[in-house]
Amino acid sequence: PGVALAAGSSQVDQVGAAASRSTTTAAAVVTLAAGQSANTTLRIVEAGNYPTGTCKPTATTFLQIFPPGQTTPIYLAYKSTGCASSSVNLLSVTVMTSGTGG
């Protein structure tokens, strides 16, 4: 999936860089039958770990999530502080796998 921090109310905009994608596991198509689940792991680094001038801290209100193969995002309420600078990557996401994870 594609994931980024976002902010706004009537119009929501991405804040900073989108999540980098882990290459530890090769991506593969996950086909689900009704009632089955898939999962991914999202890692979020604390924006406060970066110098203010490098990060440009910005309040965020959502996770912007693009399900695999989709171009329209889903917004999940998530209050945080992101980095407006796209040179700082706070997020990383793994490939989708079947099951509920562990």
Side-chain angles (χ1 to χ4, degrees), residues 56-83:
K56 298 181 179 62
T58 302
T60 62
T61 50
F62 296 99
L63 285 173
Q64 176 179 266
I65 304 165
F66 289 89
Q70 301 296 309
T71 57
T72 302
I74 296 167
Y75 294 101
L76 178 67
Y78 179 77
K79 289 187 178 186
S80 181
T81 300
C83 291

PDB file of all heavy atoms in Angstrom, residues 56-83:
ATOM      1  N   LYS A  56      10.996  20.629   9.645  1.00  0.00           N
ATOM      2  CA  LYS A  56       9.862  21.544   9.517  1.00  0.00           C
ATOM      3  C   LYS A  56       8.606  20.882  10.095  1.00  0.00           C
ATOM      4  O   LYS A  56       7.669  20.548   9.370  1.00  0.00           O
ATOM      5  CB  LYS A  56       9.656  21.975   8.072  1.00  0.00           C
ATOM      6  CG  LYS A  56      10.846  22.728   7.494  1.00  0.00           C
ATOM      7  CD  LYS A  56      10.605  23.153   6.070  1.00  0.00           C
ATOM      8  CE  LYS A  56      11.754  23.914   5.483  1.00  0.00           C
ATOM      9  NZ  LYS A  56      13.007  23.205   5.380  1.00  0.00           N
ATOM     10  N   PRO A  57       8.580  20.658  11.436  1.00  0.00           N
ATOM     11  CA  PRO A  57       7.471  19.946  12.084  1.00  0.00           C
ATOM     12  C   PRO A  57       6.109  20.548  11.744  1.00  0.00           C
ATOM     13  O   PRO A  57       5.945  21.770  11.717  1.00  0.00           O
ATOM     14  CB  PRO A  57       7.762  20.111  13.583  1.00  0.00           C
ATOM     15  CG  PRO A  57       9.210  20.420  13.664  1.00  0.00           C
ATOM     16  CD  PRO A  57       9.547  21.165  12.410  1.00  0.00           C
ATOM     17  N   THR A  58       5.156  19.674  11.461  1.00  0.00           N
ATOM     18  CA  THR A  58       3.811  20.072  11.070  1.00  0.00           C
ATOM     19  C   THR A  58       2.801  19.117  11.699  1.00  0.00           C
ATOM     20  O   THR A  58       2.984  17.899  11.629  1.00  0.00           O
ATOM     21  CB  THR A  58       3.668  20.017   9.530  1.00  0.00           C
ATOM     22  OG1 THR A  58       4.661  20.871   8.952  1.00  0.00           O
ATOM     23  CG2 THR A  58       2.296  20.441   9.063  1.00  0.00           C
ATOM     24  N   ALA A  59       1.737  19.662  12.286  1.00  0.00           N
ATOM     25  CA  ALA A  59       0.683  18.817  12.850  1.00  0.00           C
ATOM     26  C   ALA A  59      -0.028  18.070  11.727  1.00  0.00           C
ATOM     27  O   ALA A  59      -0.314  18.634  10.667  1.00  0.00           O
ATOM     28  CB  ALA A  59      -0.316  19.672  13.620  1.00  0.00           C
ATOM     29  N   THR A  60      -0.293  16.794  11.945  1.00  0.00           N
ATOM     30  CA  THR A  60      -1.035  15.986  10.980  1.00  0.00           C
ATOM     31  C   THR A  60      -2.265  15.394  11.669  1.00  0.00           C
ATOM     32  O   THR A  60      -2.288  15.227  12.885  1.00  0.00           O
ATOM     33  CB  THR A  60      -0.166  14.874  10.378  1.00  0.00           C
ATOM     34  OG1 THR A  60       0.253  13.989  11.416  1.00  0.00           O
ATOM     35  CG2 THR A  60       1.061  15.445   9.676  1.00  0.00           C
ATOM     36  N   THR A  61      -3.261  15.091  10.876  1.00  0.00           N
ATOM     37  CA  THR A  61      -4.522  14.590  11.425  1.00  0.00           C
ATOM     38  C   THR A  61      -4.970  13.266  10.831  1.00  0.00           C
ATOM     39  O   THR A  61      -5.941  12.682  11.298  1.00  0.00           O
ATOM     40  CB  THR A  61      -5.642  15.634  11.204  1.00  0.00           C
ATOM     41  OG1 THR A  61      -5.632  16.044   9.838  1.00  0.00           O
ATOM     42  CG2 THR A  61      -5.432  16.856  12.087  1.00  0.00           C
ATOM     43  N   PHE A  62      -4.277  12.795   9.800  1.00  0.00           N
ATOM     44  CA  PHE A  62      -4.683  11.560   9.132  1.00  0.00           C
ATOM     45  C   PHE A  62      -3.489  10.747   8.655  1.00  0.00           C
ATOM     46  O   PHE A  62      -2.409  11.292   8.408  1.00  0.00           O
ATOM     47  CB  PHE A  62      -5.518  11.867   7.878  1.00  0.00           C
ATOM     48  CG  PHE A  62      -6.819  12.548   8.140  1.00  0.00           C
ATOM     49  CD1 PHE A  62      -6.940  13.914   7.989  1.00  0.00           C
ATOM     50  CD2 PHE A  62      -7.932  11.820   8.541  1.00  0.00           C
ATOM     51  CE1 PHE A  62      -8.138  14.559   8.227  1.00  0.00           C
ATOM     52  CE2 PHE A  62      -9.138  12.458   8.783  1.00  0.00           C
ATOM     53  CZ  PHE A  62      -9.237  13.826   8.625  1.00  0.00           C
ATOM     54  N   LEU A  63      -3.729   9.450   8.474  1.00  0.00           N
ATOM     55  CA  LEU A  63      -2.889   8.618   7.632  1.00  0.00           C
ATOM     56  C   LEU A  63      -3.619   8.537   6.298  1.00  0.00           C
ATOM     57  O   LEU A  63      -4.818   8.238   6.251  1.00  0.00           O
ATOM     58  CB  LEU A  63      -2.732   7.207   8.200  1.00  0.00           C
ATOM     59  CG  LEU A  63      -1.804   7.057   9.392  1.00  0.00           C
ATOM     60  CD1 LEU A  63      -1.879   5.637   9.943  1.00  0.00           C
ATOM     61  CD2 LEU A  63      -0.369   7.391   9.004  1.00  0.00           C
ATOM     62  N   GLN A  64      -2.930   8.867   5.236  1.00  0.00           N
ATOM     63  CA  GLN A  64      -3.479   8.769   3.881  1.00  0.00           C
ATOM     64  C   GLN A  64      -3.032   7.418   3.340  1.00  0.00           C
ATOM     65  O   GLN A  64      -1.834   7.167   3.214  1.00  0.00           O
ATOM     66  CB  GLN A  64      -2.920   9.913   3.029  1.00  0.00           C
ATOM     67  CG  GLN A  64      -3.335   9.884   1.591  1.00  0.00           C
ATOM     68  CD  GLN A  64      -2.742  11.064   0.860  1.00  0.00           C
ATOM     69  OE1 GLN A  64      -3.384  12.079   0.731  1.00  0.00           O
ATOM     70  NE2 GLN A  64      -1.512  10.946   0.396  1.00  0.00           N
ATOM     71  N   ILE A  65      -3.967   6.547   3.042  1.00  0.00           N
ATOM     72  CA  ILE A  65      -3.645   5.166   2.665  1.00  0.00           C
ATOM     73  C   ILE A  65      -4.194   4.871   1.273  1.00  0.00           C
ATOM     74  O   ILE A  65      -5.393   5.035   1.020  1.00  0.00           O
ATOM     75  CB  ILE A  65      -4.243   4.174   3.680  1.00  0.00           C
ATOM     76  CG1 ILE A  65      -3.749   4.510   5.094  1.00  0.00           C
ATOM     77  CG2 ILE A  65      -3.921   2.735   3.291  1.00  0.00           C
ATOM     78  CD1 ILE A  65      -4.540   3.847   6.193  1.00  0.00           C
ATOM     79  N   PHE A  66      -3.307   4.434   0.391  1.00  0.00           N
ATOM     80  CA  PHE A  66      -3.711   3.986  -0.932  1.00  0.00           C
ATOM     81  C   PHE A  66      -3.631   2.462  -0.944  1.00  0.00           C
ATOM     82  O   PHE A  66      -2.534   1.901  -0.952  1.00  0.00           O
ATOM     83  CB  PHE A  66      -2.780   4.543  -2.021  1.00  0.00           C
ATOM     84  CG  PHE A  66      -2.945   6.023  -2.252  1.00  0.00           C
ATOM     85  CD1 PHE A  66      -2.208   6.938  -1.527  1.00  0.00           C
ATOM     86  CD2 PHE A  66      -3.830   6.489  -3.212  1.00  0.00           C
ATOM     87  CE1 PHE A  66      -2.347   8.306  -1.742  1.00  0.00           C
ATOM     88  CE2 PHE A  66      -3.981   7.862  -3.436  1.00  0.00           C
ATOM     89  CZ  PHE A  66      -3.231   8.761  -2.699  1.00  0.00           C
ATOM     90  N   PRO A  67      -4.782   1.766  -0.919  1.00  0.00           N
ATOM     91  CA  PRO A  67      -4.729   0.300  -0.999  1.00  0.00           C
ATOM     92  C   PRO A  67      -4.013  -0.123  -2.284  1.00  0.00           C
ATOM     93  O   PRO A  67      -4.048   0.607  -3.284  1.00  0.00           O
ATOM     94  CB  PRO A  67      -6.209  -0.108  -1.026  1.00  0.00           C
ATOM     95  CG  PRO A  67      -6.919   1.035  -0.355  1.00  0.00           C
ATOM     96  CD  PRO A  67      -6.148   2.265  -0.789  1.00  0.00           C
ATOM     97  N   PRO A  68      -3.380  -1.296  -2.282  1.00  0.00           N
ATOM     98  CA  PRO A  68      -2.666  -1.751  -3.478  1.00  0.00           C
ATOM     99  C   PRO A  68      -3.559  -1.697  -4.729  1.00  0.00           C
ATOM    100  O   PRO A  68      -4.718  -2.112  -4.693  1.00  0.00           O
ATOM    101  CB  PRO A  68      -2.285  -3.198  -3.133  1.00  0.00           C
ATOM    102  CG  PRO A  68      -2.196  -3.195  -1.638  1.00  0.00           C
ATOM    103  CD  PRO A  68      -3.294  -2.253  -1.187  1.00  0.00           C
ATOM    104  N   GLY A  69      -3.020  -1.134  -5.792  1.00  0.00           N
ATOM    105  CA  GLY A  69      -3.731  -1.064  -7.060  1.00  0.00           C
ATOM    106  C   GLY A  69      -4.799   0.013  -7.130  1.00  0.00           C
ATOM    107  O   GLY A  69      -5.517   0.101  -8.123  1.00  0.00           O
ATOM    108  N   GLN A  70      -4.924   0.864  -6.107  1.00  0.00           N
ATOM    109  CA  GLN A  70      -5.954   1.899  -6.079  1.00  0.00           C
ATOM    110  C   GLN A  70      -5.330   3.287  -6.203  1.00  0.00           C
ATOM    111  O   GLN A  70      -4.187   3.490  -5.818  1.00  0.00           O
ATOM    112  CB  GLN A  70      -6.751   1.826  -4.769  1.00  0.00           C
ATOM    113  CG  GLN A  70      -7.425   0.495  -4.539  1.00  0.00           C
ATOM    114  CD  GLN A  70      -8.485   0.207  -5.589  1.00  0.00           C
ATOM    115  OE1 GLN A  70      -9.355   1.030  -5.843  1.00  0.00           O
ATOM    116  NE2 GLN A  70      -8.401  -0.965  -6.206  1.00  0.00           N
ATOM    117  N   THR A  71      -6.074   4.232  -6.739  1.00  0.00           N
ATOM    118  CA  THR A  71      -5.582   5.600  -6.877  1.00  0.00           C
ATOM    119  C   THR A  71      -6.358   6.592  -6.008  1.00  0.00           C
ATOM    120  O   THR A  71      -6.034   7.765  -5.980  1.00  0.00           O
ATOM    121  CB  THR A  71      -5.650   6.058  -8.348  1.00  0.00           C
ATOM    122  OG1 THR A  71      -7.004   5.944  -8.808  1.00  0.00           O
ATOM    123  CG2 THR A  71      -4.729   5.218  -9.229  1.00  0.00           C
ATOM    124  N   THR A  72      -7.381   6.113  -5.330  1.00  0.00           N
ATOM    125  CA  THR A  72      -8.152   6.959  -4.422  1.00  0.00           C
ATOM    126  C   THR A  72      -7.796   6.575  -2.989  1.00  0.00           C
ATOM    127  O   THR A  72      -7.929   5.407  -2.607  1.00  0.00           O
ATOM    128  CB  THR A  72      -9.667   6.778  -4.654  1.00  0.00           C
ATOM    129  OG1 THR A  72      -9.955   7.096  -6.015  1.00  0.00           O
ATOM    130  CG2 THR A  72     -10.479   7.677  -3.723  1.00  0.00           C
ATOM    131  N   PRO A  73      -7.351   7.539  -2.171  1.00  0.00           N
ATOM    132  CA  PRO A  73      -6.926   7.202  -0.816  1.00  0.00           C
ATOM    133  C   PRO A  73      -8.088   7.011   0.155  1.00  0.00           C
ATOM    134  O   PRO A  73      -9.192   7.503  -0.058  1.00  0.00           O
ATOM    135  CB  PRO A  73      -6.082   8.405  -0.393  1.00  0.00           C
ATOM    136  CG  PRO A  73      -6.665   9.542  -1.159  1.00  0.00           C
ATOM    137  CD  PRO A  73      -7.123   8.960  -2.471  1.00  0.00           C
ATOM    138  N   ILE A  74      -7.770   6.311   1.224  1.00  0.00           N
ATOM    139  CA  ILE A  74      -8.627   6.184   2.395  1.00  0.00           C
ATOM    140  C   ILE A  74      -7.946   7.035   3.463  1.00  0.00           C
ATOM    141  O   ILE A  74      -6.719   7.012   3.585  1.00  0.00           O
ATOM    142  CB  ILE A  74      -8.697   4.718   2.868  1.00  0.00           C
ATOM    143  CG1 ILE A  74      -9.349   3.841   1.812  1.00  0.00           C
ATOM    144  CG2 ILE A  74      -9.419   4.610   4.201  1.00  0.00           C
ATOM    145  CD1 ILE A  74      -9.167   2.355   2.070  1.00  0.00           C
ATOM    146  N   TYR A  75      -8.715   7.781   4.248  1.00  0.00           N
ATOM    147  CA  TYR A  75      -8.139   8.598   5.312  1.00  0.00           C
ATOM    148  C   TYR A  75      -8.511   8.008   6.667  1.00  0.00           C
ATOM    149  O   TYR A  75      -9.686   7.839   6.971  1.00  0.00           O
ATOM    150  CB  TYR A  75      -8.606  10.055   5.205  1.00  0.00           C
ATOM    151  CG  TYR A  75      -8.074  10.715   3.956  1.00  0.00           C
ATOM    152  CD1 TYR A  75      -8.864  10.866   2.835  1.00  0.00           C
ATOM    153  CD2 TYR A  75      -6.764  11.161   3.904  1.00  0.00           C
ATOM    154  CE1 TYR A  75      -8.365  11.448   1.682  1.00  0.00           C
ATOM    155  CE2 TYR A  75      -6.249  11.747   2.757  1.00  0.00           C
ATOM    156  CZ  TYR A  75      -7.056  11.883   1.652  1.00  0.00           C
ATOM    157  OH  TYR A  75      -6.552  12.464   0.514  1.00  0.00           O
ATOM    158  N   LEU A  76      -7.505   7.696   7.455  1.00  0.00           N
ATOM    159  CA  LEU A  76      -7.679   7.151   8.797  1.00  0.00           C
ATOM    160  C   LEU A  76      -7.262   8.218   9.797  1.00  0.00           C
ATOM    161  O   LEU A  76      -6.129   8.710   9.735  1.00  0.00           O
ATOM    162  CB  LEU A  76      -6.817   5.894   8.963  1.00  0.00           C
ATOM    163  CG  LEU A  76      -6.833   5.219  10.323  1.00  0.00           C
ATOM    164  CD1 LEU A  76      -8.209   4.630  10.615  1.00  0.00           C
ATOM    165  CD2 LEU A  76      -5.785   4.120  10.364  1.00  0.00           C
ATOM    166  N   ALA A  77      -8.167   8.607  10.702  1.00  0.00           N
ATOM    167  CA  ALA A  77      -7.839   9.634  11.697  1.00  0.00           C
ATOM    168  C   ALA A  77      -6.617   9.197  12.503  1.00  0.00           C
ATOM    169  O   ALA A  77      -6.579   8.085  13.031  1.00  0.00           O
ATOM    170  CB  ALA A  77      -9.027   9.876  12.619  1.00  0.00           C
ATOM    171  N   TYR A  78      -5.602  10.066  12.548  1.00  0.00           N
ATOM    172  CA  TYR A  78      -4.354   9.766  13.260  1.00  0.00           C
ATOM    173  C   TYR A  78      -3.643  11.089  13.513  1.00  0.00           C
ATOM    174  O   TYR A  78      -3.048  11.662  12.604  1.00  0.00           O
ATOM    175  CB  TYR A  78      -3.470   8.827  12.424  1.00  0.00           C
ATOM    176  CG  TYR A  78      -2.159   8.497  13.079  1.00  0.00           C
ATOM    177  CD1 TYR A  78      -2.090   7.568  14.108  1.00  0.00           C
ATOM    178  CD2 TYR A  78      -0.983   9.122  12.676  1.00  0.00           C
ATOM    179  CE1 TYR A  78      -0.877   7.262  14.721  1.00  0.00           C
ATOM    180  CE2 TYR A  78       0.232   8.824  13.276  1.00  0.00           C
ATOM    181  CZ  TYR A  78       0.271   7.901  14.297  1.00  0.00           C
ATOM    182  OH  TYR A  78       1.469   7.599  14.901  1.00  0.00           O
ATOM    183  N   LYS A  79      -3.716  11.594  14.743  1.00  0.00           N
ATOM    184  CA  LYS A  79      -3.051  12.854  15.087  1.00  0.00           C
ATOM    185  C   LYS A  79      -1.596  12.585  15.425  1.00  0.00           C
ATOM    186  O   LYS A  79      -1.283  11.695  16.214  1.00  0.00           O
ATOM    187  CB  LYS A  79      -3.756  13.524  16.266  1.00  0.00           C
ATOM    188  CG  LYS A  79      -5.102  14.078  15.896  1.00  0.00           C
ATOM    189  CD  LYS A  79      -5.702  14.865  17.020  1.00  0.00           C
ATOM    190  CE  LYS A  79      -7.033  15.446  16.564  1.00  0.00           C
ATOM    191  NZ  LYS A  79      -7.607  16.326  17.562  1.00  0.00           N
ATOM    192  N   SER A  80      -0.725  13.379  14.807  1.00  0.00           N
ATOM    193  CA  SER A  80       0.709  13.191  14.976  1.00  0.00           C
ATOM    194  C   SER A  80       1.414  14.480  14.580  1.00  0.00           C
ATOM    195  O   SER A  80       0.785  15.450  14.183  1.00  0.00           O
ATOM    196  CB  SER A  80       1.175  12.032  14.080  1.00  0.00           C
ATOM    197  OG  SER A  80       2.549  11.788  14.225  1.00  0.00           O
ATOM    198  N   THR A  81       2.723  14.463  14.672  1.00  0.00           N
ATOM    199  CA  THR A  81       3.554  15.529  14.121  1.00  0.00           C
ATOM    200  C   THR A  81       4.387  14.916  13.013  1.00  0.00           C
ATOM    201  O   THR A  81       5.096  13.934  13.237  1.00  0.00           O
ATOM    202  CB  THR A  81       4.467  16.151  15.197  1.00  0.00           C
ATOM    203  OG1 THR A  81       3.654  16.702  16.222  1.00  0.00           O
ATOM    204  CG2 THR A  81       5.347  17.239  14.597  1.00  0.00           C
ATOM    205  N   GLY A  82       4.257  15.475  11.819  1.00  0.00           N
ATOM    206  CA  GLY A  82       5.034  15.010  10.687  1.00  0.00           C
ATOM    207  C   GLY A  82       6.103  16.022  10.340  1.00  0.00           C
ATOM    208  O   GLY A  82       6.235  17.053  10.992  1.00  0.00           O
ATOM    209  N   CYS A  83       6.870  15.717   9.304  1.00  0.00           N
ATOM    210  CA  CYS A  83       7.880  16.635   8.784  1.00  0.00           C
ATOM    211  C   CYS A  83       7.396  17.134   7.423  1.00  0.00           C
ATOM    212  O   CYS A  83       7.187  16.330   6.513  1.00  0.00           O
ATOM    213  CB  CYS A  83       9.223  15.930   8.619  1.00  0.00           C
ATOM    214  SG  CYS A  83      10.019  15.465  10.169  1.00  0.00           S
TER     215      CYS A  83
END
